[in-house]
Amino acid sequence: MSKVKDTYKLEGLSCASCANNVQNTLKKSKGVSFAEVNFANSSVLLEFDTVETNINELEHAVDAAGYTLITNKAKEKDSEAQYNSSLKLLKKKTIIAIAFAIIVMALSMSFGHSYLAKWLMFLFTLPSILWAGSQFYIIAYKQLKRKSANMDTLVAMGTGVAFLFSLVNTIFPDWLQQHGLSANTYYDATVMIIALILLGRFFEERAKHRTAGSIKKLIGLQSKTARVVRDNKEIEIPIEEVVKGDVINIKPGEKIPVDGKIINGLSSIDESMITGEPIPVDKQAGDRIIGATINESGSIQMIAEKVGSDTLLAQIIKQVQEAQGSKPPIQRIVDKIASVFVPVVISIAILTFLIWFFWGPSPTLTYAILTAVSVLVIACPCALGLATPTAIMVGIGKAAENGILIKDSQSLELARKIDTIVVDKTGTITNGKPEVSSITLIEKFQDKQTELFSIIKSAESKSEHPLASAIVAYINKNVNTDLIDLQQFKNHPGKGVSFSVKDTSYLIGNTKLMKEHLIDLSPIMDFVEDSSKKGETPVFFSSDQEVIAFFGLSDQIKASSQSAIEQLHKMNVDIHLLSGDQETAVAQAASTLNIDKYKAEVLPSDKLEYIKQLQKEGKLVAMVGDGINDSPALAQADVGIAMGSGTDIAIESAEITLVKGDLKKISDAIRLSQRTVKTIHQNLFWAFIYNVIGIPIAAGILYPFWGFLLSPMIASAAMAFSSVSVVSNSLRLRRYKLNKGS
């Protein structure tokens, strides 16, 4: 395939308009079919055709727009070091800018009108203009060449005009005063604006970095090395060098390096890092284990089945990154506003200047410049641009930490509106495998229970049938027995097995096998009929003369399903149960879980049509499933929810994956969606109200009534505070207790 879809880091973004400029630049580039920039984590989700373009050409296009696209994945992997370096530089610039601002402010307040003080203020302003705040002017210049504008344009225009106006007043004070103009200087405002904006960006960058904490935590879970067996020798190699098929030794307390299967040993595995469940899981030979989980007790040997980008953790990281970078419908509206925001603000600043210059009080030029600069500075679109993506990032990260993998931000936004959930039965509300749910032993054989169970266990251990495995598991758990030798063992496909012990012949199987050997089942028919009503599958054990025992097997409902359904009912969500299983089994499951609407013996196409019909009725539908047969319905539903224990196809078809397969996580996802969108609305409210109130005040609307004018310094401080407050509000989601719904 010639199409490449990947996430790349960006440098130089300072506002929502910057993100919009980069996005438009990439979208207009030849060969790019999709580009979505996330201002909150300075990244772009990019899809392009390698036949028509390449990543280097796109890098040049972004560079021409005044920003940097990091295309070197090795460099990107060192993003933490880069971040620390850039934050350190920003901190240094901020400290120096504040230091010079304090000096200039002191000179202004003490000797502001003296000739020498003006020149000293000019000199102390230069470091802020030429170094600390130089990026504002460089990016604004690049934007001007492209006939575009962004936040840096506003800052550059505001401080640039104030600085040049002050310089003219410093060089030609007598000439200005002879013409009736004020010779005041505003070096203090210039340096203080730059210092406050840099301070705001420093806190903003540090806060934004924290919103991506879940990704860093997930990446940090990865093991750095693995001890593999090659050429009959154990060697320790970097995790990147592990290949599929490698045999790996793992000691107690060590992390599982990659996904695979245990081939030797027994242990308890702490899977809480992936699933959020605190109780370790017992594992033995044949069981699959997940990379980054912790081997708690015994030494085990595993074979690597999924390595590198194919591991579950790598897939989770990738999907969370893409989800955090994707934009919900609410963000697209914000993007449209941001794209016209800067031109509108510049127009308002020009209009403000003209009004004050022609109709304002004396000195008109001074007032005109001050109000125009205040408008340019206070009208920062950063808060607007951060309102949605920071909340989305924290929300999706919070979900990932709790075993809920959300593929895109639209699903996070939609989840709160779910009013109907369609659930599959097998593997979704049930464990997905047969278990012994009832057992009947003929009374006269009660005193021989241990001996008979030993015979049953020995016979069923020779079979690979799921029902046989379930019976063996039941006996192992409940009866202390040993295996014995069998004679004349014979498999009867589709029916069961026959064998003999000493001189007695035995049968284990279904009704067909019993009838073929003329076994009278009447002594236990009452139990069989009762079992059938519960949807259980019958397995009989008999000698060649008479029936001895009866096992009723069923796919047991998960322990968590009952409470999960109750929670959803309390949230006024309508539940529908669909299954390809027989009517009695589905009816029994629906009754147990208090689900009124169910349908049995449905094909994959039937599930799809069922979803479509609900959608035609105006329902917002979530489908929950785990199998390949569920994938069409999962894709059709407004929100598809897959069990993490399900098939890859089901997971790919869904928007949300419950890593542990716990249905209680659905109500958690809905509550998290509600809280996230509530946070977005709060952020947008404050971002909008800030600009609606701030811009008119900066323009001087209060001056005719109370003589109040907003100084550019106060405007810059308010602008910085607005961005930090929006990010801080989003970070409150990290403390949201999902299990308590608080």
Side-chain angles (χ1 to χ4, degrees):
M1 292 179 64
S2 60
K3 289 256 185 175
V4 172
K5 186 177 183 181
D6 206 348
T7 301
Y8 299 91
K9 297 297 290 183
L10 289 162
E11 290 182 350
L13 299 185
S14 59
C15 65
S17 294
C18 300
N20 203 57
N21 284 336
V22 174
Q23 185 167 293
N24 289 336
T25 297
L26 288 169
K27 281 183 175 180
K28 292 174 184 177
S29 299
K30 183 181 178 182
V32 175
S33 54
F34 181 84
E36 198 160 73
V37 173
N38 186 335
F39 170 49
N41 65 0
S42 298
S43 69
V44 57
L45 181 58
L46 196 58
E47 185 175 12
F48 59 93
D49 192 329
T50 55
V51 175
E52 296 184 51
T53 188
N54 59 64
I55 194 63
N56 291 329
E57 290 181 5
L58 299 177
E59 182 181 6
H60 292 319
V62 173
D63 182 65
Y67 309 94
T68 302
L69 178 68
I70 301 175
T71 58
N72 186 325
K73 287 295 179 179
K75 183 181 178 184
E76 186 178 317
K77 284 183 180 179
D78 196 29
S79 58
E80 188 70 21
Q82 291 177 38
Y83 163 77
N84 290 330
S85 177
S86 61
L87 191 65
K88 187 176 180 180
L89 178 61
L90 179 58
K91 183 179 180 180
K92 185 177 181 180
K93 287 185 174 183
T94 303
I95 292 172
I96 289 176
I98 291 173
F100 280 105
I102 292 172
I103 294 171
V104 173
M105 286 287 293
L107 287 170
S108 175
M109 294 172 67
S110 303
F111 314 101
H113 297 290
S114 73
Y115 183 76
L116 178 60
K118 289 180 180 179
W119 280 106
L120 286 173
M121 286 190 288
F122 165 73
L123 292 174
F124 285 123
T125 301
L126 286 179
S128 294
I129 295 287
L130 300 178
W131 182 68
S134 60
Q135 68 266 33
F136 301 134
Y137 308 101
I138 293 170
I139 293 176
Y141 173 69
K142 289 183 177 181
Q143 292 295 311
L144 181 62
K145 288 200 300 182
R146 298 178 68 251
K147 298 180 180 178
S148 184
N150 64 1
M151 168 59 188
D152 294 297
T153 305
L154 299 182
V155 176
M157 286 184 65
T159 57
V161 168
F163 176 75
L164 292 175
F165 179 65
S166 300
L167 183 58
V168 170
N169 285 356
T170 300
I171 299 172
F172 308 109
D174 296 336
W175 183 86
L176 290 169
Q177 290 171 353
Q178 288 173 6
H179 289 78
L181 299 173
S182 171
N184 292 333
T185 59
Y186 297 95
Y187 294 119
D188 51 352
T190 302
V191 291
M192 191 55 74
I193 288 170
I194 291 174
L196 288 171
I197 290 176
L198 287 174
L199 181 63
R201 285 196 180 177
F202 172 73
F203 287 125
E204 183 182 298
E205 282 299 316
R206 195 167 64 174
K208 278 166 56 180
H209 187 66
R210 291 175 62 201
T211 65
S214 61
I215 292 290
K216 296 180 186 67
K217 287 180 183 177
L218 290 170
I219 293 173
L221 295 179
Q222 295 173 318
S223 180
K224 303 296 185 293
T225 61
R227 291 182 294 104
V228 303
V229 178
R230 292 180 180 174
D231 298 325
N232 295 320
K233 293 181 180 179
E234 181 183 278
I235 57 173
E236 188 167 353
I237 62 174
I239 194 68
E240 293 82 10
E241 295 179 14
V242 176
V243 297
K244 187 177 179 181
D246 269 340
V247 174
I248 305 172
N249 292 331
I250 306 161
K251 294 178 181 179
E254 292 182 342
K255 285 185 178 180
I256 310 297
V258 295
D259 297 1
K261 185 167 61 179
I262 296 175
I263 55 177
N264 280 311
L266 299 168
S267 184
S268 293
I269 308 296
D270 179 1
E271 297 184 335
S272 60
M273 293 181 179
I274 297 292
T275 64
E277 298 295 330
I279 302 173
V281 181
D282 292 334
K283 300 278 186 176
Q284 59 185 353
D287 289 339
R288 283 185 164 75
I289 49 180
I290 303 169
T293 56
I294 299 174
N295 177 32
E296 288 210 330
S297 52
S299 294
I300 56 176
Q301 191 174 62
M302 69 173 289
I303 186 167
E305 294 183 329
K306 292 182 178 180
V307 300
S309 61
D310 293 329
T311 64
L312 175 62
L313 182 62
Q315 291 299 312
I316 290 174
I317 291 170
K318 182 179 179 182
Q319 291 187 20
V320 172
Q321 283 176 329
E322 290 188 3
Q324 288 187 337
S326 61
K327 295 181 182 178
I330 195 170
Q331 175 63 16
R332 295 189 185 105
I333 298 172
V334 176
D335 286 345
K336 289 180 180 178
I337 295 171
S339 65
V340 298
F341 186 83
V342 173
V344 168
V345 168
I346 292 174
S347 299
I348 293 173
I350 293 172
L351 181 62
T352 299
F353 178 87
L354 294 174
I355 291 173
W356 279 92
F357 184 75
F358 288 107
W359 294 286
S362 181
T364 56
L365 181 60
T366 299
Y367 279 121
I369 290 175
L370 284 177
T371 51
V373 169
S374 293
V375 168
L376 290 171
V377 170
I378 203 169
C380 170
C382 289
L384 190 64
L386 289 167
T388 300
T390 51
I392 290 293
M393 286 177 67
V394 178
I396 289 177
K398 183 72 175 179
E401 290 174 9
N402 286 272
I404 306 168
L405 179 58
I406 300 177
K407 191 178 292 184
D408 59 64
S409 52
Q410 182 170 340
S411 302
L412 179 61
E413 185 181 345
L414 274 178
R416 70 192 173 99
K417 298 179 181 179
I418 292 172
D419 53 33
T420 305
I421 293 180
V422 177
V423 293
D424 170 57
K425 184 179 82 70
T426 306
T428 302
I429 64 168
T430 66
N431 292 318
K433 59 181 181 180
E435 298 176 44
V436 174
S437 47
S438 65
I439 183 170
T440 301
L441 187 65
I442 298 299
E443 188 173 351
K444 70 176 184 178
F445 295 106
Q446 293 285 345
D447 58 341
K448 296 182 179 180
Q449 175 177 309
T450 302
E451 178 187 344
L452 293 172
F453 275 14
S454 180
I455 293 171
I456 296 169
K457 175 182 173 180
S458 300
E460 294 292 59
S461 295
K462 291 179 175 291
S463 173
E464 295 182 356
H465 195 282
L467 296 182
S469 299
I471 291 173
V472 171
Y474 175 83
I475 294 174
N476 284 335
K477 183 178 180 180
N478 296 281
V479 184
N480 185 19
T481 62
D482 297 319
L483 296 176
I484 61 173
D485 293 330
L486 309 176
Q487 294 83 44
Q488 298 177 321
F489 185 89
K490 184 180 179 181
N491 185 37
H492 301 266
K495 301 172 187 176
V497 297
S498 62
F499 55 94
S500 62
V501 178
K502 298 179 181 178
D503 296 327
T504 306
S505 297
Y506 293 98
L507 301 168
I508 301 178
N510 57 21
T511 308
K512 288 182 180 180
L513 186 65
M514 298 297 114
K515 287 183 177 179
E516 281 184 4
H517 290 77
L518 305 176
I519 304 299
D520 181 16
L521 299 178
S522 58
I524 56 170
M525 281 312 296
D526 288 344
F527 297 104
V528 174
E529 289 175 1
D530 184 57
S531 175
S532 178
K533 290 177 183 177
K534 296 177 182 177
E536 296 176 351
T537 300
V539 174
F540 302 93
F541 171 54
S542 75
S543 67
D544 57 356
Q545 299 293 322
E546 60 185 331
V547 66
I548 298 172
F550 161 76
F551 294 90
L553 292 97
S554 64
D555 185 7
Q556 295 287 294
I557 292 174
K558 293 177 182 177
S560 61
S561 293
Q562 185 83 53
S563 58
I565 298 298
E566 288 176 1
Q567 286 179 20
L568 292 169
H569 279 315
K570 289 178 182 178
M571 298 173 78
N572 296 318
V573 176
D574 197 18
I575 312 293
H576 298 246
L577 178 62
L578 296 187
S579 178
D581 206 348
Q582 57 180 324
E583 177 76 22
T584 52
V586 179
Q588 178 65 29
S591 175
T592 302
L593 296 172
N594 195 28
I595 298 175
D596 297 327
K597 299 166 185 174
Y598 66 89
K599 191 172 182 180
E601 300 176 14
V602 293
L603 299 172
S605 57
D606 297 329
K607 292 182 180 181
L608 178 65
E609 291 304 318
Y610 196 94
I611 298 289
K612 286 182 177 179
Q613 182 57 42
L614 289 172
Q615 289 172 327
K616 286 179 182 177
E617 296 171 8
K619 308 286 189 182
L620 197 140
V621 185
M623 169 69 195
V624 190
D626 75 319
I628 294 173
N629 62 327
D630 298 319
S631 56
L634 287 167
Q636 175 63 37
D638 297 289
V639 179
I641 303 174
M643 299 288 105
S645 55
T647 64
D648 290 343
I649 293 177
I651 292 171
E652 285 297 319
S653 301
E655 286 79 34
I656 297 175
T657 300
L658 309 180
V659 176
K660 189 66 175 178
D662 185 352
L663 285 179
K664 287 189 289 188
K665 297 294 184 181
I666 297 176
S667 55
D668 285 345
I670 293 173
R671 281 195 294 267
L672 183 60
S673 170
Q674 292 169 342
R675 180 55 65 98
T676 302
V677 173
K678 180 180 179 181
T679 300
I680 291 172
H681 288 162
Q682 289 171 347
N683 288 348
L684 289 175
F685 171 80
W686 289 112
F688 277 116
I689 205 71
Y690 166 82
N691 283 297
V692 167
I693 295 174
I695 292 175
I697 292 175
I701 196 170
L702 300 180
Y703 187 82
F705 306 101
W706 294 286
F708 176 78
L709 271 182
L710 191 69
S711 77
M713 286 182 290
I714 296 175
S716 61
M719 179 275 293
F721 175 77
S722 70
S723 295
V724 175
S725 63
V726 162
V727 176
S728 299
N729 188 49
S730 295
L731 286 169
R732 290 173 60 236
L733 276 170
R734 297 174 69 184
R735 299 193 299 273
Y736 180 56
K737 303 295 184 184
L738 283 175
N739 56 342
K740 296 181 181 179
S742 60

